[in-house]
Amino acid sequence: QKYVELVKDNIKDIYADRPMRQGNSSRWPPKCGDESIPITLEMFGDMLPPGFKGQMEKEKEAKAKGKLLHSVKPATVLFDGYLWTTKADGNPCDWDTEASGCDMMMVMGTSLSGLTIDNMAHTAAARGKNMVVFDMTPAPVQSIGYGWKEDKHFFLQGSIDENVLKVL
């Protein structure tokens, strides 16, 4: 819920010039105006585990120097930014290795139709990894196509908040 609140407050509406849609995915009025504000780890306050403190300090220093490169939404994924190459603890991160070696991939609120981050889900599906997809529509399942395995992949259609709580 905190993440949704941060997105609503800090990410501009990239579709503001288009007519408003009806339904559950309709847009919200941005509080940040015409410029998005990178969502940083610091914005989460005390909600993050202690292991994130080091990365949070690095973000603060980089921001103070005008060189903030990593944020929770780097270059904002809404615009299809690059995937991180460094984990919060400072260790290197290779998204292909992570997706190939995961126990389970959780996909939330994306149609899996072309953003860079979507490649992780497609890689996990191709490798036969367990996957849970949370979305309002079946678009992500359709995007995975023949890679979808009924015995390995699960689709929970509806509210992400409600369905995540059901899983927990």
Side-chain angles (χ1 to χ4, degrees), residues 10-15 34-37 73-82 114-117:
N10 296 289
I11 305 299
K12 76 174 188 167
D13 183 355
I14 62 171
Y15 302 109
D34 292 335
E35 294 296 321
S36 293
I37 300 166
K73 275 183 117 33
T76 190
V77 175
L78 290 174
F79 302 112
D80 199 20
Y82 292 106
L115 295 177
T116 304
I117 190 80

Side-chain angles (χ1 to χ4, degrees), residues 18 25 27-28 33 43 48 59 62 69 100-101 114 124 127 143:
R18 297 182 184 173
S25 64
R27 300 189 310 265
W28 58 84
M43 292 175 175
L48 296 175
E59 274 190 357
L69 299 176
S100 298
R127 303 278 194 301
S143 181

Side-chain angles (χ1 to χ4, degrees), residues 6-155:
L6 288 170
V7 169
K8 286 181 179 181
D9 290 349
N10 296 289
I11 305 299
K12 76 174 188 167
D13 183 355
I14 62 171
Y15 302 109
D17 61 335
R18 297 182 184 173
M20 187 69 84
R21 291 181 5 182
Q22 300 297 318
N24 292 329
S25 64
S26 60
R27 300 189 310 265
W28 58 84
K31 294 182 180 180
C32 64
D34 292 335
E35 294 296 321
S36 293
I37 300 166
I39 298 173
T40 63
L41 295 173
E42 183 178 20
M43 292 175 175
F44 285 89
D46 294 332
M47 294 179 69
L48 296 175
F52 284 86
K53 299 293 183 202
Q55 185 63 28
M56 191 181 306
E57 291 303 316
K58 287 180 186 177
E59 274 190 357
K60 284 183 198 177
E61 291 171 16
K63 185 176 181 181
K65 295 175 184 175
K67 297 184 177 184
L68 181 61
L69 299 176
H70 299 283
S71 64
V72 175
K73 275 183 117 33
T76 190
V77 175
L78 290 174
F79 302 112
D80 199 20
Y82 292 106
L83 297 177
W84 291 353
T85 57
T86 307
K87 295 179 186 178
D89 65 3
N91 288 319
C93 179
D94 177 321
W95 68 266
D96 187 57
T97 301
E98 296 292 328
S100 298
C102 71
D103 294 322
M104 179 179 76
M105 175 75 60
M106 294 177 71
V107 178
M108 298 180 188
T110 175
S111 64
L112 296 177
S113 59
L115 295 177
T116 304
I117 190 80
D118 296 345
N119 290 330
M120 291 187 75
H122 287 283
T123 296
R127 303 278 194 301
K129 300 297 179 176
N130 294 315
M131 187 178 320
V132 179
V133 174
F134 301 84
D135 203 78
M136 296 298 288
T137 74
V141 175
Q142 294 164 348
S143 181
I144 291 174
Y146 292 114
W148 188 264
K149 307 287 184 238
E150 291 295 328
D151 62 328
K152 291 274 196 177
H153 303 145
F154 305 92
F155 176 51

